Amino acid sequence: MSKYCIANWKMYMNRNKIDSYFNDFLEKDFDKNCKLIICPSPMHIDYVYEKIRTNKSIFLGSQNISEHENGAFTGECSLEMLLESNCMYSIIGHSERRELFNENDFNVNSKLQILNNSPVNPIICIGETSDENESGITKAVLKNQLIKIFDNIDFKDTKEYIIAYEPIWAIGTGKSADTETIYSIHKFLKNIINEINTNNCNICLLYGGSVNDNNAAEILSINEVDGFLIGSASLNADKFYNIYNKF
Ligand code: 13P
């Protein structure tokens, strides 16, 4: 089972910051048994590629992908564009896309269909709101998301399928879910995945939401956690590397 340490830079970086980020970063050892993936904004994907192209341990991902192949979709980024820019991964269904841009599980399913027929691997985000969490319906919400997103997906053993459980109330709040919660939700999700016909494909399950270099080791000690999707702490090269180093 692969492990993943994934940076979601959201809309925070600029070229100067990217230059400083990679000043020392590329000199470090990347010998952990864990894939390190950086997801910059679409404007910076080629720029980051030029930095990392000789480093075989760092991979590129996008933060989103259009569910359409091409056409009049102003502001969108297609699969072909991602492939031209050497993106091997794409985040889909991030809660910020859902909350701020009205994406739903149906759109995420369409994006997954596109990725499933391509060399780009999906990083599928699911998670409950704080209201849903307080109402005690977290597991039902997550199960429903997974079933809709995986509807009619013909799993392929050549692909890497990555799910990131990101409780929305833990994103950017500095308040990560506690280890008992993460254990219980991940165990539940792994059971659901086992019930779905995934053609015996490996599906990795990451945690995201206020992961930092202080809580990473404890969360990683949970067997059911196959890695992290990291926002704020991935914007700082040293902090991100410290987290990678815990694998
Ligand atoms: P934070 O790590 O800043 O909480 O963000 C998590 C996230 O949204 C990663 O996709």
Side-chain angles (χ1 to χ4, degrees):
M1 178 73 75
S2 306
K3 302 270 180 188
Y4 295 90
C5 188
I6 306 178
N8 176 6
W9 281 355
K10 307 192 179 181
M11 204 176 69
Y12 283 113
M13 296 296 246
N14 58 35
R15 289 182 182 223
N16 272 340
K17 288 180 186 164
I18 294 172
D19 289 344
S20 328
Y21 198 94
F22 287 107
N23 263 348
D24 302 328
F25 195 70
L26 294 171
E27 308 305 319
K28 297 185 191 287
D29 286 334
F30 294 98
D31 52 3
K32 298 286 175 188
N33 190 16
C34 162
K35 281 197 174 158
L36 190 149
I37 303 168
I38 295 180
C39 305
S41 97
M43 289 301 293
H44 294 142
I45 290 176
D46 288 338
Y47 195 68
V48 173
Y49 178 69
E50 287 309 316
K51 307 267 182 201
I52 63 165
R53 60 187 305 164
T54 55
N55 187 312
K56 298 286 169 250
S57 308
I58 306 178
F59 299 86
L60 261 178
S62 68
Q63 297 175 13
N64 189 21
I65 181 175
S66 169
E67 63 194 85
H68 305 284
E69 216 176 293
N70 57 37
F73 299 103
T74 302
E76 289 288 88
C77 220
S78 70
L79 171 70
E80 184 186 20
M81 295 167 188
L82 295 186
L83 282 169
E84 281 175 347
S85 294
N86 302 288
C87 267
M88 293 317 294
Y89 296 86
S90 176
I91 297 175
I92 53 176
H94 192 280
S95 59
E96 286 149 21
R97 300 291 321 167
R98 293 170 186 261
E99 287 197 330
L100 305 170
F101 302 97
N102 294 325
E103 287 186 12
N104 57 33
D105 293 323
F106 179 76
N107 305 115
V108 184
N109 173 266
S110 305
K111 290 171 192 233
L112 182 55
Q113 295 283 7
I114 292 243
L115 293 173
N116 207 34
N117 295 313
S118 84
V120 182
N121 298 299
I123 302 164
I124 306 154
C125 297
I126 57 171
E128 82 284 7
T129 63
S130 75
D131 279 356
E132 288 163 342
N133 185 275
E134 279 158 24
S135 317
I137 57 169
T138 297
K139 288 181 176 168
V141 168
L142 298 175
K143 181 174 181 179
N144 188 37
Q145 288 178 341
L146 274 190
I147 288 172
K148 286 187 177 152
I149 292 169
F150 283 155
D151 186 41
N152 263 318
I153 298 294
D154 180 17
F155 289 86
K156 302 189 168 130
D157 59 11
T158 48
K159 291 201 70 69
E160 298 167 48
Y161 296 93
I162 305 163
I163 296 175
Y165 167 54
E166 299 205 303
I168 296 171
W169 47 269
I171 294 179
T173 58
K175 188 175 149 251
S176 150
D178 59 44
T179 45
E180 288 92 83
T181 305
I182 299 173
Y183 168 76
S184 148
I185 298 291
H186 276 231
K187 201 157 180 55
F188 170 78
L189 290 172
K190 291 217 161 171
N191 286 338
I192 303 281
I193 292 164
N194 281 339
E195 283 169 17
I196 295 172
N197 181 9
T198 57
N199 294 337
N200 292 325
C201 292
N202 255 346
I203 302 198
C204 292
L205 191 51
L206 317 188
Y207 171 77
S210 297
V211 172
N212 57 46
D213 45 355
N214 294 319
N215 61 18
E218 195 187 358
I219 302 176
L220 265 188
S221 69
I222 305 169
N223 248 341
E224 281 70 15
V225 173
D226 303 316
F228 295 129
L229 180 56
I230 308 162
S232 333
S234 75
L235 298 173
N236 178 299
D238 288 335
K239 283 189 185 165
F240 185 52
Y241 183 75
N242 283 345
I243 298 174
Y244 168 81
N245 232 349
K246 314 265 190 230
F247 279 80

